[in-house]
């Protein structure tokens, strides 16, 4: 993807961030390169990989 940005004058007085979503980026100013990464703060033992757990018990 090619993105062309033409910067104009910018003045930021104050920023308040009340929460952060699972995928967030706050950028003020210029950036030549933005590299995306992912990290989990969940303990490894709580991560389920394998068969899905049924939502209703088998009757």
């Amino acid at each position: 993807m090619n993105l062309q940005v033409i910067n104009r004058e910018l003045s930021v007085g104050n920023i308040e961030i009340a929460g952060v979503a699972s995928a967030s980026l706050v950028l003020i100013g210029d950036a030549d390169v933005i590299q995306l990464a992912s990290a989990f703060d969940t303990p490894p033992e709580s991560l389920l990989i394998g068969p899905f757990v049924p939502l209703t018990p088998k009757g």
Side-chain angles (χ1 to χ4, degrees):
M1 175 175 77
N2 292 327
L3 176 67
Q4 181 179 2
V5 177
I6 300 172
N7 291 321
R8 304 282 189 230
E9 184 177 328
L10 176 68
S11 176
V12 178
N14 187 26
I15 295 178
E16 292 184 29
I17 298 175
V20 178
S22 59
S24 300
L25 171 68
V26 175
L27 175 65
I28 300 172
D30 296 332
D32 290 330
V33 176
I34 297 176
Q35 184 173 358
L36 303 176
S38 177
F40 292 100
D41 62 351
T42 305
E45 59 271 8
S46 67
L47 181 62
L48 298 175
I49 299 176
F52 293 109
V53 176
L55 297 177
T56 58
K58 293 181 181 180

